Amino acid sequence: MNDGEIEVQYQPVMRVGDGAVGGFDVLLVWQRNEPSEFAAQAEASGMIGTLVLSALKQAASDLGRWQRAFPAAPPLFVTVNVAWRHIADAAFAQKLAIAMKSDGFAERSLKLKLTESAAPAGNERVQAVLKNLQDLGVGFAIGDFSMLNASRAHLARVPFDTIVIDKAIVETARNSLGAAILNSSVGLARELRVAAIADGVDAKSDLLRLKEIGCQYAQGALFGMPLRGSEVDGYIFTRMS
């Protein structure tokens, strides 16, 4: 595996209310193999931390450029998956802090997406790293969020401003129980005054349901395939026209 085989791609995240581009979710794509094989080999080789850091640097640079080219209120954002073990790694956190200082993106618009269920308990060093990154203007999103699994203790440890609702909840919202869980998740975001992104939106009926309950953002196949960095400007321009 080498860096030339890895590509950063961007899954569009749309504003539910007006259909404009709200931001992008970063995907690491290995050109040679399936995503599952890529993830397994990256983990086994110990390269995953380096690859994630490289993706963050690229995303930060691209985000600053897009915000300058396409000013919006609120500004465009990017979410990037980061594992808790990377946040806990002193070298990774230091390199990340350096990378975040130089790309001119709006405060909190680069969001580290952390899985709530994997949050470490009582790690003071991790809390210090989160605080340091927050002070640098980095935002945080809770990924794979579900009201069924949410832990108040874990949520309190992360200074998050966004939740990404698990795609399984969106998929099951076509029945009454699933709809209630989706409504509760969006309602919690509203009460906490944080943004909610619904993942796995593949049909117009899903989008209409999200609009009815006041979910702010959506991502999924309905809005197209992940984009290469060179394709993003055209995609944003088309959606603005």
Side-chain angles (χ1 to χ4, degrees):
M1 183 187 302
N2 60 66
D3 290 346
E5 298 169 352
I6 307 302
E7 183 177 43
V8 176
Q9 294 188 0
Y10 297 93
Q11 176 68 50
V13 181
M14 311 304 293
R15 295 200 313 231
V16 172
D18 60 9
V21 180
F24 296 90
D25 185 35
V26 168
L27 303 174
L28 276 175
V29 179
W30 189 19
Q31 300 302 315
R32 290 176 54 189
N33 286 42
E34 294 298 322
S36 59
E37 295 178 27
F38 157 64
Q41 293 198 30
E43 289 284 1
S45 68
M47 286 184 61
I48 191 67
T50 300
L51 294 174
V52 169
L53 187 61
S54 177
L56 278 162
K57 290 178 179 178
Q58 182 64 55
S61 176
D62 287 343
L63 179 60
R65 179 172 58 82
W66 295 332
Q67 288 180 352
R68 290 187 292 274
F70 303 100
L76 294 168
F77 64 83
V78 165
T79 61
V80 185
N81 281 298
V82 176
W84 282 103
R85 67 181 179 280
H86 297 143
I87 294 293
D89 181 277
F92 180 92
Q94 184 178 33
K95 291 176 183 177
L96 176 57
I98 293 171
M100 296 303 96
K101 290 181 178 179
S102 58
D103 289 297
F105 52 83
E107 191 172 76
R108 309 282 182 262
S109 62
L110 181 74
K111 303 177 188 295
L112 306 186
K113 186 164 58 173
L114 299 155
T115 302
E116 181 270 336
S117 60
N123 189 321
E124 292 183 4
R125 187 163 63 81
V126 169
Q127 295 304 119
V129 171
L130 292 175
K131 179 63 167 59
N132 181 47
L133 291 173
Q134 185 184 37
D135 290 345
L136 290 173
V138 175
F140 296 94
I142 300 295
D144 300 331
F145 183 84
S146 168
M147 283 292 292
L148 294 177
N149 300 323
S151 162
R152 290 183 182 178
H154 281 164
L155 290 176
R157 296 189 181 101
V158 184
F160 67 97
D161 51 56
T162 304
I163 61 171
V164 182
I165 300 171
D166 194 328
K167 64 177 68 176
I169 294 177
V170 176
E171 291 170 358
T172 59
R174 296 167 188 131
N175 62 58
S176 57
L177 176 59
I181 296 171
L182 177 61
N183 291 354
S184 296
S185 298
V186 173
L188 177 63
R190 189 180 301 113
E191 288 181 21
L192 295 175
R193 298 184 180 180
V194 300
I197 302 172
D199 194 7
V201 177
D202 299 336
K204 289 184 178 179
S205 57
D206 297 331
L207 186 61
L208 288 173
R209 185 177 298 107
L210 294 171
K211 195 168 188 175
E212 288 173 358
I213 64 176
C215 187
Q216 288 174 274
Y217 298 101
Q219 67 182 72
L222 180 63
F223 310 112
M225 299 297 290
L227 305 166
R228 292 184 168 90
S230 59
E231 299 171 322
V232 168
D233 292 75
Y235 184 89
I236 299 174
F237 181 79
T238 299
R239 291 284 176 159
M240 293 176 65
S241 302

